[in-house]
Amino acid sequence: MAGPSMMETLFQRTLEDLIKGMRLQLIGESAFISKAVEEIRREIKSTDLHTKSIALQKLTYLNSLHDVDMSWAAFHAVECMSSSRFADKRIGYVAASQSFNESTPVLLLITNQLRKDLTSVNEHEASLALECLAKIGTVDLARDLTPEVFTLLSSSKVFVRKKSIGVTMRVFEKYPDAVRVCFKRLVENLESSDPQSLSATVGVFCELAAKDPLSYLPLAPEFYRILVDSKNNWVLIKVLKIFARLAPLEPRLAKKVTEPICEHMRRTGAKSLMFECVRTVVGSLSEYESAVKLAVVKIRELLLEDDPNLKYLGLHALSIVAPKHSWAVLENKEVVIKSLSDEDANIKLESLRLVMAMVSESNIIEISRVLVHYALKSDPEFCNEILGSILSTCSRNFYEIVMDFDWYVSLLGEMSRTPHCQKSEEIEFQLIDVGMRVRDARPELVRLARSLLIDPALLGNPFLHRILSAAAWVSGEYVEFSLNPFELAEALIQPRASLLPTSIRVVYLQSVFKILIFCVNSYLSQTETLADLEPEVPDSISQRENSEASDLASVRALFEREHDEAFNPGVLDRPSTDNSIEDIGNAADGDGQTSTFVSFRKNGFTRESIVNLVNLVEVAMRPLSVSLEVEMLERTCNILGLIEVLKRELPAVFQNEKVLEKEELEVLKLIKLMNDAFSEELGPVSTSAQERVPIPDGLVLKDNLADLDEVMGDVKLPSSSSFSLESPYNGQRMDPASCNVQSKEDSEASSESTSLLAEHRKRHGLYYLPSEGNGTISNDYPPANDLKSGDTNQDDTEDFVKLTAQSLVSKKKPNYAKPRPVVVKLDEGESVPVVLKKRDSRDDLLSGAVRDILLGDDAVKLSSSIKGKEKVNADPLDSKENMHDMENSSHRKSSSRRSKQRPHRKERGQTNPEKLGVEKEEHGGKVKSKSSHRHGRQKSRQKAEGSSDIIAETPVIPDFLL
Amino acid sequence: MIHFVLIINRQRKLRLTKWYSPYSQKERTKVIREISELMLRRHHKMCNFFEWGGLKVVYRRYTGLFFCMCIDPDDNELETQEVIHQYVRILDRYFGKVCELDLIYDFHKAYFILDELVIAGELQESNRRTVVRRIFAQVSLSLDIHISHSLVDAAKEEGPGSVDGITIPFKIIIYLKLQN
């Protein structure tokens, strides 16, 4: 047996050989590694511990740097750990701390080994065990090894002591009850003369205080002493961190520490300490004006350094101070703006945050202008950062800081035209959101939508598709503000729109539908006055159409048939639709310019323009009616159906201008109905709208929704039948009769659906935010824009600006932020319990234990009742644990009993002091060396406890400092 | 606290990893990939910190090697840089003009040194001499020979790698061999 083992040992490759081999290998790294692992698998089974440990070491190396799995070798690691040779033991420990985790099964086997090594006389073995425990400590290990760690905490060997201090953090975290055993000794180490132990202890408290600062307030005097006395920067930085967490909890403490911190800030040469002082002051002591001033001076020093690290930190500190002291940012404005063009992305980002922190109602326009301009020049990534931060800043709190929405809308337009813009989703959302919330911004929105939609170049950029979808929606929804709906419709059906994905095309189609309805309705509603208007028409329309219009006015009825022939070639190829168009071939554009541009005036929905529009839309829709996308198909068919009805009915309308007859026509009712439905305002719906619906008295809500299918079946049935598109080919089929029937059905169905929608709105008004004012704004044009032709955009803009300026002056805040206080409150209410739930019960246990040690029960009064409840829930965990730590068991029982009583505050009042006394005696007996200082402190603590028994709700923090 | 320590060279070769927070093997691979990607992309004139996944990464570059530590967002970046520098100085002292090859071949020693410097993600020893002395003592233990502290101190007094480029550990070994 010794033979092969010996051979193995002799010819085994060491770690060094492995590394060398790896560097010289010719077979490829992965092949080499798998070969090496093969070898290791063989060697590790060796009975010779040395061979085994070398194999394990190699495996550890491969795991650490080359991702080789080593979980299978867990047991071998345990074997090596138990070796008596230090070298093997160390390899075993390293392997264990690297590969073990909570679920490693052999973890149960190492408890005794760890205990043995922790109590070993050899300090190096103890230190190995401590390092390992710090890394892989589980609940069980922490619980079982607490006594050993406790012993080591007062070890005479500094080397071991400081490691055991480091380990306590892990132990506390895993097993909060260890606090009751170890805490006193840990605190004693705060007075240690050895700088390393002190440093380690402060480090532990720094971590502990990060989780629950309140529990460590009573230790403030110790920390204060260290803050004043210590010369060690490592320690000072940690102590400052602790104070940064404690100071916000206790104003007296904050007042006390401000001066020493400023002193350090002035005196120290170490940038790290100086920065920590600055951060503490700006983060936690920001109400002390003089301290903040000094900190800002120091920040300025950092900002002016050449070192990018210091510059970054300076900006970072500024961003902490910015919310409370914006003057600090303004003072350093130039540096911040200059940093925007720094080559370091981090610095740029910080300065961008700062610039956004400077934003206010008065300068938002200026800053945004500068930033958007800057975004054009910067790299894509940062460009999007800029756009994103502008968008989020401006939309914050329902566009709180935006006073001029016309400006904001145009800014959105400018942003969407920025190359590299990838914020289309956000811009899309905001375009629609602004449209819904801000009535005054709608004209400008429509104008923006127009300029985006008519630009064919934009369709080619997939990043802009979402924005275009919003623009299309806006143009359809608020078409009444448009100067030229025909132009919009044309833009929406332009051939390049086929580049859009279906989901967005669908929005386009729906908008075309809306625009069509709007135009026809507008035309019909003014036909009664048409006769009066006719003479005026020539004066106000543009020159190009001038002659045509006048022609039309006079010879409309006569030349219908003739012009039909002339019309057909003018339009793009329409293979199969001629016959259906014939009926309304009165589209009397003799020049054949129909499809290019139709000028439009306020009251100028002329007949021929409507007809042109209808034809144009039909031409564009025909190819789509064979689309494979259901959604698109459906909407196309809706539009075609409408057109069909129009063509059937409209000639009659055009001929008989008498009002009486008109009302009898079905199509008029239809159009009117649809227009009403579309002009009904869509408002923003609160996210919690559903919750606000009170449950009716008679309604019993079932938990089991098994019969939901049944209910849904009822709902589905009618809808599917009414919207059925039995023949998706109806566009292709030449049978006009069936076409008509189909379209009639369609239109009826859609009218039915819209009426249903209106009904729904009426019934459930509370789902929808109140729409102020009139629902139909179709004729509600601002008089300023009356009789103005489409090409005078500039004047319009000015008018808009004036308009909004007036509204700004008069109302100060226009009705943009529709007050939704309930929503906001509800949302806040929701978030609070989530935060509470997030708190780990273990953390609570830990802090609870710490408080017990430091304060007795007083601290508990501060903790909320929720925490108390959680404690009760967690108590089974306490009782489950076997009471192994001998002397402590009685003490712990009493404490767990106390924790159970915690929620019942009143019962406790009487019994407390006695129990505390008991506890203290126990501790007094245990802890041998106790300085007089500590005694003094305890007395004062007892005093504090006594007083707080009387005044229940006074702050717990005794006056150690004051 | 420090969540993990990585040493990566310019060619993205990993030279050392040490994890103080629990990361599964899968997460480790992902973390290393992400960090090295972000870190190596940075220009040397840029600052040595960056935010990553809610944490902060502090790194320092020594010729071709990047030493990087991941810390909590409110930890002190400059202090962490100092820890890195401390580690490198200890390596330097131990190996005598440390270079990448030292880390490659004496991977485990670099590991032990880090263990002496940092425990449970906290700096535990800021004194370089003490750390080096510890490591020597452990080396001697590994050789199954007891070396008194005075001996180590004597060897150390001569400074790191002082005589003819022979580093201290070798000197002790040679000394011991002569003794035997």
Side-chain angles (χ1 to χ4, degrees), chain A residues 19 64 67 90 98 123 135 159 162-163 196 207 238 241 245 272 276 279 308-309 344 346, chain B residues 1 17 19 25 29 42 45 47-49 74-76 104 111-112 116 122 124-125 134 138:
Chain A
I19 296 169
S64 162
D67 255 359
R90 182 160 70 171
Q98 182 157 319
E123 55 177 8
K135 183 70 214 326
F159 168 59
K162 85 184 179 212
K163 285 201 175 182
Q196 300 309 327
E207 286 297 316
K238 295 279 180 207
K241 280 196 181 307
R245 278 148 195 163
S272 53
E276 198 55 50
R279 181 145 63 181
N309 289 336
D344 188 343
N346 286 351
Chain B
M1 74 177 266
T17 57
W19 309 86
Q25 192 68 43
T29 318
R42 296 180 66 78
K45 273 187 199 157
C47 69
N48 292 341
F49 329 117
D74 55 349
D75 278 343
N76 193 315
I104 295 170
Y111 209 87
F112 298 146
E116 288 303 319
E122 292 287 332
Q124 58 153 330
E125 179 62 71
R134 290 285 147 211
Q138 287 179 14

Side-chain angles (χ1 to χ4, degrees), chain A residues 548-746:
Chain A
E548 303 160 23
S550 52
D551 274 354
L552 266 160
S554 50
V555 295
R556 184 191 308 134
L558 294 172
F559 289 96
E560 266 175 15
R561 299 284 162 195
E562 277 181 44
H563 280 230
D564 184 32
E565 261 74 58
F567 177 64
N568 279 341
V571 187
L572 299 166
D573 47 338
R574 298 168 299 154
S576 59
T577 52
D578 298 28
N579 54 346
S580 57
I581 279 185
E582 261 175 274
D583 291 340
I584 49 160
N586 50 9
D589 215 304
D591 312 351
Q593 286 181 5
T594 10
S595 54
T596 52
F597 189 85
V598 183
S599 182
F600 167 74
R601 298 158 297 110
K602 267 291 105 75
N603 296 318
F605 288 97
T606 55
R607 204 177 107 236
E608 79 279 11
S609 61
I610 294 287
V611 171
N612 282 344
L613 177 69
V614 168
N615 285 336
L616 207 61
V617 171
E618 187 180 20
V619 169
M621 286 307 117
R622 284 293 167 199
L624 295 180
S625 62
V626 290
S627 164
L628 290 175
E629 296 286 343
V630 232
E631 188 108 10
M632 227 154 87
L633 187 67
E634 181 173 343
R635 291 184 198 212
T636 311
C637 289
N638 283 348
I639 297 176
L640 286 175
L642 178 75
I643 289 175
E644 212 63 51
V645 177
L646 285 178
K647 280 180 181 166
R648 212 155 26 79
E649 309 274 2
L650 271 185
V653 180
F654 288 139
Q655 277 156 3
N656 312 310
E657 285 162 13
K658 283 164 202 158
V659 183
L660 276 174
E661 264 182 84
K662 211 174 64 183
E663 276 176 354
E664 284 159 20
L665 288 167
E666 189 190 358
V667 66
L668 292 185
K669 280 186 230 151
L670 176 68
I671 297 281
K672 191 122 190 68
L673 203 61
M674 280 195 192
N675 190 57
D676 286 352
F678 282 142
S679 53
E680 184 106 13
E681 201 161 312
L682 293 173
V685 179
S686 146
T687 46
S688 58
Q690 184 74 49
E691 292 163 23
R692 280 188 283 162
V693 182
I695 299 171
D697 283 339
L699 185 66
V700 184
L701 289 177
K702 282 184 191 169
D703 287 334
N704 184 8
L705 295 175
D707 49 353
L708 193 67
D709 280 339
E710 218 176 291
V711 180
M712 288 308 285
D714 288 343
V715 176
K716 268 179 207 158
L717 212 64
S719 70
S720 64
S721 70
S722 67
F723 281 113
S724 71
L725 294 169
E726 293 112 346
S727 78
Y729 308 105
N730 66 340
Q732 276 181 333
R733 232 187 270 164
M734 285 307 98
D735 182 3
S738 79
C739 231
N740 280 349
V741 171
Q742 179 65 43
S743 57
K744 207 169 178 183
E745 263 178 31
D746 270 356

Side-chain angles (χ1 to χ4, degrees), chain A residues 15-16 19-20 23 29 57 60-61 63-69 85-87 90-91 94 97-99 122-125 127 130-131 134-135 159 162-164 166-167 169-170 196 199-200 203-204 206-207 210 232-234 237-238 241 245 271-273 275-276 279 308-310 312-313 316 343-347 350 353 381, chain B residues 1-2 7 13-22 24-25 28-29 32 41-51 56 72-83 86 101 103-109 111-112 115-116 118-127 130 133-135 137-139 141-144 149:
Chain A
L15 175 62
E16 204 170 345
I19 296 169
K20 275 184 183 150
R23 288 172 70 78
E29 197 171 78
Q57 189 182 26
T60 313
Y61 170 79
N63 170 264
S64 162
L65 297 190
H66 298 280
D67 255 359
V68 172
D69 174 49
R85 277 184 78 240
F86 179 76
R90 182 160 70 171
I91 289 168
V94 169
S97 56
Q98 182 157 319
S99 65
N122 185 336
E123 55 177 8
H124 294 286
E125 288 182 356
S127 103
L130 283 170
E131 272 159 25
K135 183 70 214 326
F159 168 59
K162 85 184 179 212
K163 285 201 175 182
S164 59
V167 168
M169 196 169 69
R170 177 83 184 188
Q196 300 309 327
S199 164
V204 170
C206 181
E207 286 297 316
N232 184 333
N233 285 352
W234 302 100
I237 288 174
K238 295 279 180 207
K241 280 196 181 307
R245 278 148 195 163
K271 288 276 189 284
S272 53
L273 179 58
F275 177 67
E276 198 55 50
R279 181 145 63 181
N309 289 336
L310 299 180
Y312 169 76
L313 291 178
H316 184 66
E343 57 190 320
D344 188 343
N346 286 351
I347 292 183
E350 274 306 328
R353 281 179 205 165
E381 199 178 329
Chain B
M1 74 177 266
I2 300 166
I7 303 179
K13 282 253 186 252
L14 212 50
R15 292 300 174 217
L16 184 130
T17 57
K18 176 90 190 171
W19 309 86
Y20 296 102
S21 295
S24 73
Q25 192 68 43
R28 289 179 188 185
T29 318
I32 291 167
R41 212 171 51 193
R42 296 180 66 78
H43 195 262
H44 69 274
K45 273 187 199 157
M46 295 181 177
C47 69
N48 292 341
F49 329 117
F50 56 91
E51 286 164 23
K56 219 175 253 173
D72 283 324
D74 55 349
D75 278 343
N76 193 315
E77 295 89 344
L78 294 173
E79 185 202 12
T80 312
Q81 272 204 315
E82 205 49 46
V83 174
Q86 194 80 343
L101 280 180
L103 291 187
I104 295 170
Y105 289 119
D106 288 310
F107 161 78
H108 51 297
K109 285 182 191 152
Y111 209 87
F112 298 146
D115 271 346
E116 288 303 319
V118 178
I119 191 166
E122 292 287 332
L123 180 80
Q124 58 153 330
E125 179 62 71
S126 52
N127 190 329
T130 321
R133 196 165 62 213
R134 290 285 147 211
I135 300 295
Q138 287 179 14
V139 168
L141 262 183
S142 313
L143 294 168
D144 292 330
H149 284 303

Side-chain angles (χ1 to χ4, degrees), chain A residues 93 113-114 117-118 124-134 167:
Chain A
Y93 269 111
Q113 185 60 42
L114 277 173
D117 286 333
L118 282 174
H124 294 286
E125 288 182 356
S127 103
L128 276 184
L130 283 170
E131 272 159 25
C132 186
L133 186 60
V167 168

